């Protein structure tokens, strides 16, 4: 029984190491500006705006491309909520679709979450990946950084297919 218990502990330890062996996959993007900002400014100070952004991006593996994001900005009292759907296209023509969400008092900067919900080509292996991002604005230009943790296996597969 001692050996079985020791074997089980060792097996669980190695399983833990394998499951937690992660590499950080960074996607950095910079906006070229908000192309559209259309909606309503309410008399009570609330806002309901449709936004469209156009971006160029690069990541730490060597991929680069363009992205467009369309979504909704709602502002009630001091709290703003942003929900976007983004389509990114890399240099190989592979597409990636992400949902971007953020709640903030300060619209000039903040952080939020994004989740990859669909993709074509090699981007399919990233479906379900959740990422953290931070954004700052200078007038109508957004500067964003995003960090998406993926397994070492996925990281190497993406890097080797470049």
């Amino acid at each position: 029984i001692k050996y079985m218990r020791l074997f089980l502990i060792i097996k669980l330890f190695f399983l833990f190491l394998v499951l937690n062996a992660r590499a950080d996959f960074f996607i950095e993007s910079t906006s070229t500006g908000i192309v559209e900002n259309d909606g309503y400014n309410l008399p009570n100070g609330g806002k309901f705006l449709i936004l469209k952004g156009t971006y160029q991006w690069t990541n730490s593996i060597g991929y680069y491309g363009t992205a467009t994001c369309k979504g909704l900005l709602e502002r009630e009292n001091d709290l703003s909520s942003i929900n976007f759907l983004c389509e990114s296209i890399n240099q190989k023509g592979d597409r990636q679709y992400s949902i971007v969400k953020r709640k903030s008092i300060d619209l000039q900067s903040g952080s939020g979450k994004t989740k990859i919900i669909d993709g074509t080509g090699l981007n399919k292996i990233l479906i379900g990946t959740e990422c953290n991002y931070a954004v700052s604005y200078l007038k109508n230009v957004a500067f964003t950084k995003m960090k998406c943790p993926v397994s070492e296996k996925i990281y190497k597969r993406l890097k080797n297919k470049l």
Side-chain angles (χ1 to χ4, degrees):
I1 292 181
K2 279 186 176 181
Y3 293 111
M4 290 180 77
R5 189 177 287 163
L6 181 62
F7 176 73
L8 182 60
I9 291 171
I10 291 171
K11 190 173 182 179
L12 287 173
F13 177 73
F14 280 108
L15 180 62
F16 176 79
L17 287 177
V18 168
L19 291 176
N20 287 302
R22 300 178 70 81
D24 286 332
F25 172 58
F26 296 95
I27 299 173
E28 296 179 19
S29 54
T30 302
S31 167
T32 57
I34 296 172
V35 178
E36 294 178 24
N37 178 342
D38 191 20
Y40 300 100
N41 291 315
L42 304 177
N44 67 4
K47 290 184 180 187
F48 190 87
L49 302 172
I50 306 279
L51 303 175
K52 179 181 177 187
T54 303
Y55 304 83
Q56 297 86 40
W57 58 269
T58 61
N59 70 31
S60 59
I61 296 178
Y63 288 88
Y64 58 91
T66 60
T68 56
C69 298
K70 298 176 184 177
L72 180 63
L73 179 145
E74 294 179 80
R75 183 175 186 142
E76 189 173 337
N77 299 320
D78 288 337
L79 186 62
S80 296
S81 174
I82 297 172
N83 291 298
F84 284 124
L85 175 67
C86 295
E87 177 189 54
S88 300
I89 305 171
N90 69 21
Q91 72 265 38
K92 294 182 169 199
D94 294 338
R95 295 173 188 268
Q96 181 182 100
Y97 298 89
S98 302
I99 297 287
V100 178
K101 294 186 178 191
R102 178 166 77 97
K103 288 188 178 195
S104 179
I105 293 173
D106 180 11
L107 283 178
Q108 293 303 306
S109 64
S111 62
K113 297 263 184 198
T114 181
K115 183 175 183 178
I116 299 168
I117 60 166
D118 207 353
T120 64
L122 200 54
N123 284 327
K124 288 181 182 180
I125 65 174
L126 294 170
I127 293 173
T129 301
E130 293 188 12
C131 309
N132 293 312
Y133 77 94
V135 61
S136 294
Y137 291 91
L138 178 61
K139 297 188 180 186
N140 68 338
V141 179
F143 301 91
T144 63
K145 284 196 177 249
M146 185 164 38
K147 185 174 183 179
C148 303
V150 295
S151 69
E152 185 177 356
K153 180 180 176 182
I154 290 175
Y155 184 89
K156 286 180 178 178
R157 187 166 174 205
L158 288 167
K159 191 164 178 105
N160 291 335
K161 294 289 182 176
L162 186 60

